[in-house]
Amino acid sequence: MGKEKSERSAFQLKVPKGTKDWEGKDMVIRDKIFASITDVFKRHGAVTIDTPVFELKEILSGKYGEDSKLIYDLADQGGEICSLRYDLTVPFARWLAMNSSIQSIKRYHIAKVYRRDQPAMTKGRMREFYQCDFDIAGVYDPMLPDAEIIRITCEIFQALGWEGKFTIKMNHRKILDGIFQVCGVPTDKLRAISSAVDKLDKSPWTEVRREMTEDKGLEAEVADRIGEYVTLKGSKELLERLQKDEKLSANESAKAGLADMGLLFTYLQTFDVLDQISFDMSLARGLDYYTGVIYEVVTEGSAPQTSEGQAGQRTGKKESRSSKPADGDEDRSNDPSVGVGSVAAGGRYDNLVSMFSGKQQIPCVGISFGVDRIFSITKQRLAADASAAAIRTNEVDVFVMAFGGKGFDGLLPQRMAVAKRLWDAGIKAEFSWKVKPKLPQQFKAAEVNGVPFAVILGDEELAAGKCKIKEMGLPDGHPEKDGVLVEMVDLEKEVHRRISRSAAPTADGMSDAVERMSLDEVAKTEPKTS
């Protein structure tokens, strides 16, 4: 018994590292983010699917490059070796391969994914987190689906109140491969060198060059030639400069990639989103399945807090990643060298479906939004903005109250009847679960939850067939400060009218608050495209 008691007392009640419970205002903010993203997805004609939270390990193996070490493997259950899904893209490709009758689809998927990464919880870097994916599968004329994905991305961040506060970094795998070929990288080292270039977000060129030459066996002069290209960034003028490069123009891969980018830039100009784009030659995206255009979204809150990290972000540098082991246990939320990272990322992956089907090739392009990273930045901005509207934890519009003098019985049946009438009319309402509640306690309950209106019942008013509607929070001296008497028969109509004209903040008011929010002092300079 003594040993059993000792073991019980040593048990620590907690959630696993890299995970968290969600409640209260955090849930309100996150649900608003979900709703904003979903609205845009539906606006563009997408349908939704769902897939299992775990897949056969062989489905996920070999699809993520160096990041494959971050996959969570599960114990053998009945002879099937499974792993928790790392993203929503590979399961989508597997689903397409299994449903051969579907040759084209616009699909969105909102679900949790899992990675054995080092957590930084307050920065949205977690081991269990939500992704919101939008993908277009099918054979279409070049770059039209890609352009719509970028347009969708801009619409989402505008809906979230991020207007002018984000940059979409963009590159093309064929351009990168062409650069590597022109510079003399052996074919068997293309992906390894691409992975090294992808680290230019967190490391200076000297360190990336060292990795290429010392760790990956690349000749020094080849690395130097690569450095002349991958440190470039800009916009249309950079594209024009690369198109005039005779060496790149003579390379079929680079030539095809540059043609794609030229066409894409034309479409993005038509969609009026080209000013959000930074053509960044250091962007490589570590995942192996990308075949064409690649992109990721950063904001001034994405960068590490160190001056070096902030400077990198302002010039379009990619997210910082930890160089410590993937299974490290410490939470790095307070590490100034760790930033939130990119808040969305994606690209074209034309060959992934055929890896599963063996013959059926369905070109795909898509993007994934990291809700927890978006949430982290949004919450920080709301906290920094003194003018931001209060976030309510529920959406109740009316609190039904009662008051009386000596002999007051609480009017519970009457309060319940009024609440029922309001519910039947589609109005969100609550009342106190005390038989004889005191009026100050009822007002306090309404104020705590930010309920904008009160319906107040009294014996004399009810006897006259009336009740009082009071808008909460009106200033002293306002003509309706103490409420307005209305006929009981008109109650639902009067409440609806007041709710519709009210500007009181609700859960949906979060986007208005975000639109007014100020930027963090440490990151006043927004990313620019040159």
Side-chain angles (χ1 to χ4, degrees), residues 191-354:
R191 290 282 74 85
I193 298 304
S194 179
S195 176
V197 168
D198 202 42
K199 297 174 183 176
L200 279 170
D201 62 329
K202 65 174 183 179
S203 304
W205 166 246
T206 53
E207 173 58 26
V208 172
R209 182 185 183 280
R210 186 208 61 76
E211 179 180 337
M212 288 179 175
T213 55
E214 296 182 16
D215 299 347
K216 299 185 175 178
L218 194 67
E219 295 182 6
E221 55 269 27
V222 175
D224 290 338
R225 288 196 289 269
I226 292 173
E228 296 176 4
Y229 287 103
V230 297
T231 54
L232 301 174
K233 58 181 62 67
S235 188
K236 289 183 69 174
E237 84 289 343
L238 175 57
L239 176 63
E240 293 167 358
R241 173 180 171 183
L242 295 175
Q243 287 172 330
K244 294 176 183 178
D245 188 309
E246 294 181 0
K247 293 180 180 179
L248 292 184
S249 298
N251 179 274
E252 289 301 317
S253 178
K255 184 178 179 181
L258 289 169
D260 279 350
M261 291 296 286
L263 189 57
L264 178 59
F265 276 19
T266 299
Y267 294 152
L268 297 181
Q269 184 78 55
T270 301
F271 279 156
D272 195 26
V273 295
L274 188 57
D275 59 343
Q276 297 293 152
I277 304 301
S278 171
F279 189 12
D280 191 329
M281 302 304 295
S282 71
L283 178 63
R285 302 288 299 147
L287 305 183
D288 282 354
Y289 52 65
Y290 289 121
T291 59
V293 63
I294 49 178
Y295 33 77
E296 65 181 27
V297 182
V298 294
T299 181
E300 57 269 53
S302 297
Q305 295 173 7
T306 59
S307 58
E308 181 180 11
Q310 290 291 341
Q313 190 62 65
R314 289 194 291 269
T315 55
K317 283 292 185 183
K318 197 173 136 322
E319 67 176 275
S320 177
R321 292 179 120 186
S322 169
S323 59
K324 294 189 177 182
D327 57 353
D329 284 337
E330 66 175 294
D331 184 297
R332 303 187 68 197
S333 295
N334 295 322
D335 186 341
S337 69
V338 177
V340 171
S342 60
V343 292
R348 175 161 287 279
Y349 53 103
D350 288 344
N351 302 325
L352 189 54
V353 177
S354 62

